[in-house]
Amino acid sequence: MTATLLGIETSCDETAAAVVVDGTTVRSSVVSSQVDLHARYGGVVPEIASRAHVELIGPVLAEALEDAGVALGALDAVAACRGPGLAGALLVGVSAAKALALVADIPYVGVNHLEAHLYAAWLEQPDLEPPLAVLVASGGHTLLVIMEAHGRYRVVGQTVDDAAGEAFDKVARFLGLGYPGGPAIDALARSGDPAAIPFPRAMADQADFSYAGLKTAVVNHVRQHPDDPVADVAASFQAAAVDQLVAKLAAAADEADAPTLVLGGGVAANSVLRAQVAALAEATGRRAFLPAPRLCTDNAAMIAAAAWWRWRADGPTPLDDGVDPTLGLPAGG
Ligand code: KG4
Ligand code: ZN
């Protein structure tokens, strides 16, 4: 029997809803980004995000159901991201999901945002089999995970300071490239020399990530060499940031003997990161799975995908279950 799930994502600055069948087939996926609302502040403002979610959630849900051609009564369950994320923002999606579950008399499934980033890969590659070495790098998280089986994760590395995407955003803001910074740096770096400035590759012998030192090195370099082409600074920063991600992914895959590499999170849209992970897989006889950028960035299809597996494993989530802004990835059993 197939199961049609409605997924809702409101953990940060995207209001998203999607209809997904059996955790793999996307019937609709609507993402309403608030980037324009936050751009002038150079980052996400929680109060503005919560208010925007309240305004957008109704229309986004209606559009997702209409695009899928699915009536509320035809859904088998409704899922929402319950954390990690901004408390007020999470509450909007979770409350909407619970209300729909009550109205339609169907189960509610609370979903971990980090687990959802891992399950985005199944939306394009339904035959994917663990073990996988997964790098999730976004504005909010930098996480290296060995997925040993469905629901069983080993976090082998995370950032000790800034997230990878946060470093792109901060450096872009410093260079006057606007927000979000990742796509701006990626684009400008194409015309720069990645070897122009030897920025540090942090914590080379450890599994954890660090970006604060790299960010400071960029600021110091630009202050000392104000005439260096910005494209060279962007390309050299990007090379150092990506090298760190790829080196640690390679080491984790080796250590876990994982035959498949997977990327997730907004930074996975980075062109140099994608090329280097593909090259790493080729060189080491592995398979690399690089989901389309629209599945790497925050979306609700990944919430519905993860919900399908969670629902099968744990059953519905009680309606009195709340949000958890600091939720970590479950270790599983
Ligand atoms: O997953 P996501 O949409 O939202 C969060 O959960 O944070 O990731 C957004 C982050 C931002 O920091 C953005 O600058 C970064 O992903 N990003 C990129 C690229 N596209 C988006 N970073 C590097 N290169 C890109 N092409
Ligand atoms: Zn995310």
Side-chain angles (χ1 to χ4, degrees):
M1 209 192 82
T2 62
T4 303
L5 271 70
L6 174 67
I8 301 174
E9 157 64 39
T10 61
S11 67
C12 190
D13 62 342
E14 263 95 25
T15 315
V19 176
V20 177
V21 178
D22 289 349
T24 51
T25 308
V26 181
R27 295 280 296 272
S28 69
S29 179
V30 178
V31 180
S32 177
S33 173
Q34 306 172 7
V35 161
D36 294 347
L37 291 178
H38 301 284
R40 71 175 119 147
Y41 303 103
V44 177
V45 183
E47 273 310 313
I48 293 178
S50 309
R51 229 173 304 145
H53 284 309
V54 170
E55 282 167 19
L56 291 166
I57 189 75
V60 165
L61 281 167
E63 191 179 337
L65 290 172
E66 188 176 329
D67 282 2
V70 170
L72 194 55
L75 294 172
D76 294 293
V78 54
C81 171
R82 60 179 297 271
L86 304 169
L90 289 165
L91 269 172
V92 178
V94 165
S95 306
K98 290 176 179 174
L100 289 176
L102 279 170
V103 168
D105 195 20
I106 52 177
Y108 158 71
V109 185
V111 172
N112 181 314
H113 184 86
L114 302 172
E115 188 169 45
H117 270 302
L118 306 187
Y119 275 98
W122 269 266
L123 295 168
E124 277 184 344
Q125 205 66 34
D127 63 347
L128 211 55
E129 284 293 336
L132 313 172
V134 192
L135 172 69
V136 176
S138 73
H141 12 266
T142 309
L143 208 60
L144 191 49
V145 182
I146 301 299
M147 181 172 180
E148 292 165 335
H150 285 290
R152 204 165 80 220
Y153 314 107
R154 193 154 54 84
V155 175
V156 292
Q158 40 196 325
T159 185
V160 298
D161 40 54
D162 291 347
E166 196 178 355
F168 273 89
D169 293 337
K170 286 180 175 171
V171 166
R173 184 163 45 174
F174 173 71
L175 296 176
L177 301 176
Y179 173 84
I185 288 183
D186 199 350
L188 182 63
R190 286 173 211 268
S191 57
D193 175 6
I197 309 151
F199 286 128
R201 271 61 175 166
M203 320 242 292
D205 53 348
Q206 292 170 50
D208 280 334
F209 303 86
S210 169
Y211 284 97
L214 173 58
K215 184 187 63 192
T216 306
V218 172
V219 171
N220 289 340
H221 181 91
V222 171
R223 290 206 171 122
Q224 283 156 17
H225 308 271
D227 297 329
D228 270 11
V230 181
D232 284 352
V233 178
S236 300
F237 158 75
Q238 178 171 262
V242 168
D243 274 2
Q244 186 184 162
L245 293 172
V246 175
K248 292 177 198 299
L249 176 62
D254 275 350
E255 183 265 328
D257 207 13
T260 308
L261 311 175
V262 177
L263 290 183
V267 181
N270 185 269
S271 61
V272 173
L273 176 62
R274 294 175 81 87
Q276 286 197 18
V277 170
L280 169 68
E282 173 100 33
T284 56
R286 291 191 166 93
R287 194 173 161 213
F289 189 63
L290 313 174
R294 76 192 144 75
L295 294 176
C296 292
T297 51
D298 286 352
N299 66 85
M302 70 182 193
I303 300 294
W308 187 75
W309 291 95
R310 268 290 147 207
W311 186 26
R312 291 207 318 174
D314 302 342
T317 305
L319 285 181
D320 62 0
D321 181 75
V323 302
D324 185 349
T326 60
L327 194 64
L329 198 58

